[in-house]
Amino acid sequence: MPDALALDPLTVTVVLGMAAVTYATKASGLWLVGRFDLSERAEAGVDALPGAVVVAYVAPALARGGPPEWLAGAATLAVARKSGNLLLSLAVGVGTVLALRNAL
């Protein structure tokens, strides 16, 4: 039986490659935006993008999901509003959905 924690070199290479491409995309975008003077409206749009990306990723999962996903979404939103801490909010959401999926 193969070890469940063994790392396949191909998988590690692919993940590292995706991380490098993601970093390069972000860094080049920041470099490019830094070359232009943005209007207030454009700056507001750029500032709103991270939240829009999260919503675009989470909304379909909530729409397809059931009670565990909906309750985890509500818990995530509550923690985000109360604490303002993104990492804590995500941890609570993941933990809640995992616990509820196992319990229900």
Side-chain angles (χ1 to χ4, degrees):
M1 183 163 120
D3 184 15
L5 298 178
L7 295 175
D8 178 26
L10 179 60
T11 302
V12 172
T13 302
V14 168
V15 169
L16 290 175
M18 289 188 293
V21 168
T22 300
Y23 177 78
T25 302
K26 284 185 163 203
S28 63
L30 288 172
W31 175 80
L32 185 61
V33 168
R35 302 274 180 221
F36 297 98
D37 288 329
L38 296 178
S39 67
E40 256 185 60
R41 186 173 180 179
E43 281 187 33
V46 170
D47 288 343
L49 277 176
V53 170
V54 170
V55 169
Y57 181 72
V58 171
L62 288 174
R64 284 191 311 264
E69 289 78 16
W70 302 333
L71 291 170
T76 302
L77 183 61
V79 171
R81 285 190 175 261
K82 181 76 172 170
S83 71
N85 186 325
L86 179 62
L87 186 58
L88 177 62
S89 304
L90 291 174
V92 166
V94 170
T96 303
V97 80
L98 289 174
L100 290 174
R101 283 179 180 172
N102 285 325
L104 299 179

